[in-house]
Amino acid sequence: MDTIKELKAGFVSRRAEDTEAVGEALARELAPDVTLALSGQLGTGKTTFVRGLARGWGIRKAVTSPTFNLYTIYDGSRRLIHFDAYRLNTSGQADDLLIEDFLRSPYCLAVEWPEKVADWLPSPRLNLFFSIVGESEHAIQLRE
Ligand SMILES: Nc1ncnc2c1ncn2[C@@H]1O[C@H](COP(=O)(O)OP(=O)(O)OP(=O)(O)O)[C@@H](O)[C@H]1O
Ligand SMILES: [Mg+2]
C-alpha cells in the first residue's frame, strides 16, 4: 500500500468511511513531525480525514471539530494536534495560541483552513486538497 502515491494521483472517496480509511492508512506511512495543511470548502471531509489519522495512531477519543477551542490535542502512538483556523482572521492570531509549545515529537499538526494562517504554518508540510466531485464522491489530492 502506497497511500502517499495514491493521494498524489488524486484519491476519490465514495463515502465518509473511505475518507477515514485513507486517513488511517496515511497515518501509518507519514514521517513524524509534519504539518498537514487540509484545504477545502465546508463539508468536504477534512475533519472526517483527521478522524482516520487519529485511528491510525490508536487514539480512542472521538475527534470532533475544534471550533470552540480552535485546536484539540490527542495523544496516541503519535501526538495529533487538530487545529481549525476557520475563525481566525490573521496569521498573527495563530501565534497567540502557542501551538508550537505543544509540538512534542513524534507529532502531526493537522490544520483545517490553512490559508488563514499561511504565514504561520510550521514546516515540513504536506498539502491536501479536499473537494466534492459527485453525489457523495469527495476527492483528496496531495501536493507537496
Ligand atoms: N466521500 C466522503 N468523504 C468525506 N465525507 C463525506 C463523504 N461523503 C459524504 N460525506 C459527509 O460529508 C461531511 C464532511 O464533513 P466534515 O466535517 O468532515 O467536513 P470539513 O471539511 O471538516 O468541514 P468544515 O470546513 O465545516 O470543518 C460529513 O457529514 C460526511 O459524512
Ligand atoms: Mg472540519
Side-chain angles (χ1 to χ4, degrees):
M1 275 291 287
D2 191 339
T3 311
I4 290 180
K5 209 165 150 187
E6 213 172 340
L7 286 167
K8 276 185 184 163
F11 177 81
V12 177
S13 159
R14 299 178 63 193
R15 52 191 75 83
E17 293 73 32
D18 293 353
T19 294
E20 222 176 293
V22 80
E24 183 176 2
L26 179 66
R28 301 226 175 81
E29 289 177 30
L30 197 64
D33 308 337
V34 296
T35 296
L36 293 181
L38 310 176
S39 301
Q41 294 305 305
L42 293 168
T44 47
K46 303 178 293 296
T47 299
T48 304
F49 185 84
V50 174
R51 209 164 274 143
L53 291 173
R55 206 163 69 190
W57 292 315
I59 292 159
R60 300 256 176 109
K61 237 176 121 187
V63 171
T64 52
S65 267
T67 42
F68 182 71
N69 295 326
L70 297 174
Y71 66 96
T72 311
I73 299 171
Y74 302 92
D75 282 314
S77 60
R78 199 172 291 193
R79 169 167 281 192
L80 170 64
I81 296 132
H82 182 199
F83 176 30
D84 189 338
Y86 186 68
R87 295 195 298 149
L88 293 189
N89 295 316
T90 66
S91 286
Q93 286 182 293
D95 284 329
D96 298 339
L97 299 173
L98 305 176
I99 289 175
E100 288 97 330
D101 293 357
F102 297 104
L103 302 181
R104 194 198 62 204
S105 185
Y107 72 81
C108 170
L109 171 63
V111 185
E112 295 189 38
W113 299 93
E115 301 77 11
K116 300 255 185 176
V117 291
D119 301 338
W120 168 86
L121 286 177
S123 299
R125 183 163 72 243
L126 292 180
N127 304 303
L128 287 160
F129 296 84
F130 292 76
S131 57
I132 296 177
V133 292
E135 190 69 16
S136 98
E137 294 190 337
H138 294 225
I140 311 171
Q141 172 100 48
L142 170 63
R143 284 180 236 145
E144 278 175 289

